[in-house]
């Protein structure tokens, strides 16, 4: 699902990454999102947050909080 939603900006170096903590309720609704470790590149961080907002939560993540690491 993440691969469908996330399209990192072109030209980002391979070592760049960011981490976002996300929380879903039991219905699969996104109830929390926090940038834990920004990449330092605004467009990369924005594209990562947008992907989290757009993705549909798989059943196995419902009711959980976890961290996603985004790498180009």
């Amino acid at each position: 699902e993440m691969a469908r939603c996330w399209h990192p900006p072109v030209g980002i170096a391979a070592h760049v990454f960011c981490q976002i903590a996300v929380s879903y309720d039991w219905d699969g609704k996104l109830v929390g999102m926090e940038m834990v470790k920004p990449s330092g590149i605004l467009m990369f961080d924005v594209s990562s947050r947008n992907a989290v907002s757009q993705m549909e939560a798989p059943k196995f993540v419902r009711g959980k909080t976890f961290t996603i690491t985004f790498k180009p």
Side-chain angles (χ1 to χ4, degrees):
E1 179 66 10
M2 188 59 65
R4 181 185 70 78
C5 295
W6 188 50
H7 307 288
V10 175
I12 300 295
H15 69 276
V16 173
F17 73 96
C18 72
Q19 294 180 319
I20 300 177
V22 295
S23 299
Y24 289 94
D25 68 11
W26 288 104
D27 294 322
K29 180 182 175 191
L30 181 66
V31 293
M33 176 173 33
E34 176 187 355
M35 181 67 69
V36 176
K37 172 80 172 106
S39 69
I41 301 170
L42 180 61
M43 292 306 297
F44 187 86
D45 295 346
V46 169
S47 71
S48 301
R49 283 193 300 260
N50 287 343
V52 170
S53 297
Q54 293 172 10
M55 77 175 245
E56 190 171 319
K59 290 185 180 184
F60 67 88
V61 302
R62 294 180 182 183
K64 297 181 181 176
T65 298
F66 56 95
T67 300
I68 301 172
T69 299
F70 289 86
K71 299 178 182 178

